[in-house]
Amino acid sequence: MMLRLAFPLVVSHLPPKKPSPIPPRPPPARRYAASAAAAATTSSSSSSSSSPPPHPSLPSLPPSSAYVHLPFCRKRCHYCDFPIVALGSSGSISPSRGEGEGADDPRIVDYVRLLLREVAATRPVSDDGVPFQTVFFGGGTPSLVPPRLVAAVLDALRGRFGLSACPEVSIEMDPGTFDAARLRDLVGVGVNRVSLGVQAFQEDLLRACGRAHGVEEVHEAVGIVTACEGLQNWSMDLISSLPNQTEEMWEESLRCTVDARPTHVSVYDLQIEQGTKFGQMSLLGLQLLYSPVNSDAVAMLAGYCSCSQLFRVLPKYTPGVFPLPSDTESANFYKIASKRLSEAGYNHYEISSYCKPGYECKHNLTYWQNRPFYAFGLGSASYINGVRYSRPRRMKEYAEWVQKLEDGTWSHESRSSDMKDMAMDVVMLSLRTAWGLDLQSFSKSFGKSLALSLCNTLKPFVESGLVIAMDMERQALPHSDFELVLQNDGDFRSRVAFIRLSDPDGFLLSNELISLAFGIISP
C-alpha cells in the first residue's frame, strides 16, 4: 500500500506547467561568501536609519573591506554548496589553547599558514589605500578556528593593509562550536561582532537540514553570546522554507529570536543548490529518510534497485513541492518575518537583513553599495577595479594558486569594465535595500535616457504600490508625482529622487522586477 501511494504523491505535487509569471516567492538571499540599509513599512518609505549610505556607483575607491574564508565545519549541511572542509568529530568544542600548535588540528594550522602567505603576497591596490574599516570571517564555521590563529590573520591584514582605529570585525559562529572562554579570547584579539548560525529553534528542522547542533546548544550559545563582556553587536541567522516547516514553527523561531535580543537578524529563504545533499535527494527519498512509517516501502524498494539508482530516476527535491513549503507558504513566511521583526523594533534595511537602529552590518553595506573589497582564502571572490575574480574551490588548486601569486606568475584577466554590467549591478544592489535607487546619480553615471526608460518600465508597479517613489528626504510620494516627472522628460533633480521596492510585497517580487530592469539595460 505504501509503495503504491508513494509514486502518485510525487506526481500530484509537481508544479503546474504554466507557472504564474510573477510567483510570490522570497528572493534568493544567501550569505555573501556571504548574503548580506533602514526600513520603511509597506505604506511609508522614510528611512529610520541614522544616515543612508552613498549611492552604489562605479568602483573607483580603494577597497576598505576584507572577506576572509575559514572553511572548516563539523559536517556539511544538506543545503550548503560553499567550499568547506568537514572536520568530523574533531570539530567539537574545546577550550582555547595556549601558544603550542600541537593542540590544534593540523588541517586548520596548515590552512591558516597558506592564508597568511596569500595576504603577504597580495599587493595593495594603491600606496595611499585606506586602512580596512571592516573584516568579515566567513565560512565554513570560523568559530572552530583557535583564537590565536584568528589573531594571526588580523595581524597580517594590519601589517599589509592597515586596520582603522575601530574596525568592524565580524565572525560567523555556530552553536556547539565555542564556549565562553573561546568567545572571550576572540573578543580579546579584536572580534567585535558575531553572526550566530541558529537557522531554526526546532529539533526536527535542524536535523532535517543536517545541522550539527541541536536546540539545547542554540540556547547555550545565545546565553554565552549575551553574557560576553565587551560584545554588544551580534546577529542571528534564520532559514525559512525548510522541509516540513509550518507557520507555527516559523512564528516560534521568530519569537525566540526576538526574546534573545540580537542587534541584527538575517532571514534567508532555503535555496536548493545543485551538488548539495538537498539537490541530490528525490522527493520520495526524503519521505523515506525522514518518515519512519515508510520503512516497509524502503524494504520493498531495496529489492528492486539501490538507493543511488532510486535517487537518480525519481524527481529531484523541488522548491514549492512537498515536503518543502509551497510558494505561497514561503511568501507568507517572508511577510510574517517582516511584520514580527518590525514590530520588535528592527529596521528591514535590506531584503534579508534586519537591525536595531545603528546596527546595520557595515561589511555587508560594502556589497550593497557596490564598493570594492579584498577577499582571501579558499573559493573567495574579490571585487577590485571593477573586476570580480575567485580563488579555486579545492584546497590543492588553491595552494597552487597561492604559489603562483607568490611567484608573480598569476594575474587575473585584465578587461575594461562594461558599463551595462555596472548599471545592472547598481540597480540590483540598490533595489535590495530600503534606501533604493538614487535616480539622479544613476542618470549622471549611465545617462538620462536609460534612467527614464527604467522608470517608464517600472511605472505600472509604482501605480500598484510594489515600487515606491521618494523625494530627497526619502519620503513616499503619490504615483501622480512620479508620472509628472516622466512627463517632464525625467527631471530627477526636482520632486522624485529615489525609487525603492515596498516592504514586504515589492521585496518578494524583487527577482522579477529587477529582471525587467535588466531587460531595459541590456535588451
Side-chain angles (χ1 to χ4, degrees), residues 13-33:
H13 285 85
L14 289 176
K17 289 183 179 179
K18 294 184 70 175
S20 168
I22 305 184
R25 184 170 183 81
R30 304 173 51 205
R31 291 179 301 172
Y32 200 110

Side-chain angles (χ1 to χ4, degrees), residues 36-40 47-54 264 346-355 359-362 364-365 368-369 429-436 474 500 507:
S47 174
S48 54
S49 177
S50 54
S51 60
H264 189 283
Y346 291 90
N347 297 325
H348 194 178
Y349 74 97
E350 187 271 332
I351 279 180
S352 301
S353 306
Y354 301 77
C355 72
Y359 283 94
E360 295 88 351
C361 178
K362 295 177 183 177
N364 283 350
L365 287 180
W368 311 140
Q369 295 169 19
L429 296 171
S430 297
L431 292 183
R432 286 185 64 93
T433 73
W435 285 287
R474 285 186 168 81
R500 63 155 292 181
F507 277 160

Side-chain angles (χ1 to χ4, degrees), residues 489-503:
D489 201 25
D491 183 7
F492 301 119
R493 296 169 300 177
S494 57
R495 188 80 170 124
V496 177
F498 302 90
I499 54 172
R500 63 155 292 181
L501 305 185
S502 63
D503 175 17

Side-chain angles (χ1 to χ4, degrees), residues 106 224 231 272:
I224 291 170
L231 182 69
I272 306 300

